[in-house]
Amino acid sequence: PAPSAPRNCVASGKMLLDEPLGIKCRGDPTSPKVQVQPQAPGKSSVRSSWNGPSNSFSVCTIFALLHRQPYDANARRKYSTGLVSNVLIPDTVTFRAGYPEFPCWYLSSQSEPGTIKRKHTSNVTPRNILDVFTRRKGGRKTSRGANSGIIAVLISEIVPKVPINDDENNSHNTETEEEAHTVEYLDEVLLRDFLDRRAASFSGILQKWVEPKGESNKTVSCNWSEEGCAVWCVANVKALADRRSPMQQRACTFDGPSDLWRREEVATAMGEAVEGLCLGIAKHCSLMTDGSCRPSSL
């Protein structure tokens, strides 16, 4: 079931195709905020883009930091750090319920390789999302030409649960559990339903589906830290074009039951490339926040 709308927020019950997506908040003072410091005129040093409490960090923050670039005051323009030049992302819309600055739409720039662009808020509308997510190269509609019929992936954010007080022992349990994130695969009907009924109260990312080159879906996953990087690859055992199976069963990898996927060998070059991408992301985040936010693991 869809999560309920946060307190003091009004979620629309009807999708307005040309209206910007988002939640209208009435200033809930208890909600943590991600504060972005504006660049001071005439300053060439990188200002911190992360000034919020540690518990308000989310997967959405990674995309925001990847989008940011240093500013050269002398040339009066932004320039690339060169650390995420090989990071490519499809159209990705980040949602965070209760935060008026969301949703945000990010994508890799075609004209400026290595740059993550962000669309203007006025362009983050259901109509534009449907138009882009259902469009394939050459202007064809994804829903009429794709093998899988999938046009988007919806990944919910992992939200820590609030610690519970033990009234009987008059003690406070400091251990917190995390709600498992969910991965959903959407066709056009399900995407319309999400934008109409669930987007206003959703936290996570909506990402355009990229058809794999092979017959089945594959995912490369890694566990990176500054001490090392472990890389795995799994492939779904079902063919994506086999419409006799539900989308979730023929598209899932790590997010599905183990009987629906198999492990595959990862080439050395692939592992080294993934490790390099993670290191570049970590260094970029650190640079764009003056060292206050450097991921220790990815």
Side-chain angles (χ1 to χ4, degrees):
S4 58
R7 182 167 59 89
N8 290 340
C9 296
V10 178
S12 173
K14 183 179 181 181
M15 179 171 64
L16 302 177
L17 290 177
D18 294 316
E19 289 294 324
L21 284 169
I23 297 177
K24 300 178 181 179
C25 294
R26 302 196 182 102
D28 186 352
T30 63
S31 296
K33 298 294 179 181
V34 177
Q35 300 176 358
V36 178
Q37 292 184 351
Q39 184 86 25
K43 297 287 185 178
S44 58
S45 61
V46 178
R47 302 296 296 173
S48 173
S49 64
W50 176 254
N51 194 30
S54 59
N55 63 353
S56 62
F57 189 87
S58 75
V59 66
C60 302
T61 310
I62 288 289
F63 289 95
L65 292 177
L66 289 176
H67 161 69
R68 288 183 62 82
Q69 294 177 312
Y71 180 77
D72 188 339
N74 296 324
R76 296 184 178 181
R77 65 179 181 85
K78 294 181 179 180
Y79 63 93
S80 174
T81 63
L83 296 170
V84 291
S85 299
N86 294 324
V87 176
L88 301 175
I89 63 170
D91 288 88
T92 303
V93 185
T94 60
F95 296 84
R96 205 165 183 208
Y99 288 74
E101 61 268 30
F102 287 92
C104 300
W105 188 339
Y106 301 96
L107 69 156
S108 292
S109 173
Q110 296 183 355
S111 59
E112 303 176 40
T115 301
I116 306 299
K117 294 289 188 180
R118 184 179 68 191
K119 289 181 178 287
H120 192 275
T121 304
S122 61
N123 293 323
V124 188
T125 65
R127 185 184 297 277
N128 288 341
I129 292 175
L130 287 168
D131 180 61
V132 172
F133 278 52
T134 57
R135 186 192 309 142
R136 298 182 69 194
K137 292 182 179 179
R140 293 179 298 169
K141 282 284 187 177
T142 299
S143 57
R144 293 188 178 182
N147 291 328
S148 65
I150 302 170
I151 64 173
V153 182
L154 188 67
I155 306 175
S156 66
E157 187 170 49
I158 299 178
V159 180
K161 293 181 179 180
V162 178
I164 301 175
N165 287 320
D166 189 347
D167 295 333
E168 294 181 0
N169 300 324
N170 195 23
S171 62
H172 184 71
N173 181 14
T174 58
E175 296 183 359
T176 58
E177 297 180 352
E178 289 185 341
E179 296 179 354
H181 72 277
T182 59
V183 180
E184 302 176 55
Y185 301 90
L186 312 179
D187 57 14
E188 184 171 347
V189 173
L190 292 176
L191 178 58
R192 287 179 177 273
D193 179 75
F194 166 76
L195 295 172
D196 188 12
R197 301 193 303 111
R198 299 168 53 193
S201 57
F202 177 77
S203 292
I205 63 173
L206 174 70
Q207 195 164 71
K208 185 176 180 179
W209 171 260
V210 178
E211 289 285 346
K213 296 181 179 180
E215 294 183 357
S216 60
N217 189 30
K218 296 183 180 181
T219 299
V220 175
S221 179
C222 73
N223 185 3
W224 174 89
S225 69
E226 295 183 350
E227 287 71 35
C229 182
V231 183
W232 305 272
C233 177
V234 300
N236 193 291
V237 297
K238 295 178 178 291
L240 272 172
D242 186 2
R243 300 295 183 92
R244 294 171 298 179
S245 300
M247 285 188 297
Q248 192 75 22
Q249 291 186 9
R250 50 192 167 91
C252 68
T253 52
F254 289 99
D255 53 296
S258 59
D259 60 333
L260 290 178
W261 50 264
R262 63 179 182 273
R263 289 188 178 273
E264 294 196 349
E265 185 178 355
V266 179
T268 302
M270 171 69 76
E272 293 175 349
V274 172
E275 183 175 7
L277 290 174
C278 293
L279 181 60
I281 291 174
K283 288 183 176 180
H284 179 86
C285 292
S286 178
L287 177 63
M288 298 313 303
T289 59
D290 289 337
S292 63
C293 176
R294 180 185 174 95
S296 59
S297 62
L298 290 171

